[in-house]
């Protein structure tokens, strides 16, 4: 299989351990495509399970539809749960008017 860039990874792709056993599916891709920074993946192992965070340095190979890790299944189970990044927030200057604060508060 031909290797592909992290840019083409999509939710639902199969994630496998170093031994080839499936450990889950890609839940979310973590990175900055504008600056080509691949931080890692959130991988879910079941419908009810919380996704686990796989740092990019643990990704061994990416092929169409598959992401292979350099971890054993047991090591993958010990990965930390994925924490959603906080939403970005607009910081207003102290001199902002009440109208500006009102608009920012209500998403305007």
């Amino acid at each position: 299989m031909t290797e592909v860039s992290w840019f083409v990874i999509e939710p639902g792709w199969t994630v496998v351990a170093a031994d080839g056993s499936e450990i889950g599916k890609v839940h979310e891709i973590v990175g900055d495509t504008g600056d080509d920074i691949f931080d890692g993946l959130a991988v879910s192992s079941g419908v009810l399970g919380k996704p686990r965070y796989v740092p990019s340095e643990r990704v061994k190979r990416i092929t169409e539809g598959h992401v292979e890790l350099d971890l054993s299944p047991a090591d993958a189970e010990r990965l930390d749960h994925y924490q959603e990044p906080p939403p970005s927030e607009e910081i207003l200057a102290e001199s902002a008017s009440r109208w500006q604060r009102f608009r920012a508060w209500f998403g305007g």
Side-chain angles (χ1 to χ4, degrees):
M1 295 180 126
T2 305
E3 290 191 37
V4 296
S5 166
W6 74 273
F7 287 111
V8 299
I9 299 173
E10 295 183 14
W13 280 23
T14 302
V15 180
V16 298
D19 67 359
S21 62
E22 183 176 333
I23 60 166
K25 303 281 185 189
V26 172
H27 176 75
E28 189 173 328
I29 301 90
V30 184
D32 182 345
T33 56
D35 288 329
D36 191 13
I37 299 171
F38 176 43
D39 289 321
L41 301 169
V43 177
S44 33
S45 58
V47 177
L48 300 176
K50 277 188 85 175
R52 296 195 177 272
Y53 178 69
V54 178
S56 61
E57 57 269 12
R58 305 317 310 235
V59 174
K60 180 177 171 185
R61 184 176 153 168
I62 305 167
T63 57
E64 189 70 34
H66 289 83
V67 178
E68 182 183 335
L69 307 180
D70 68 354
L71 299 168
S72 70
D75 289 337
E77 275 294 314
R78 288 190 287 274
L79 290 169
D80 291 333
H81 289 286
Y82 175 63
Q83 301 293 321
E84 296 274 341
S88 60
E89 214 174 280
E90 181 180 356
I91 309 265
L92 297 174
E94 285 185 36
S95 62
S97 70
R98 287 185 181 167
W99 177 246
Q100 289 170 318
R101 292 180 187 282
F102 177 80
R103 286 184 47 214
W105 182 264
F106 290 100

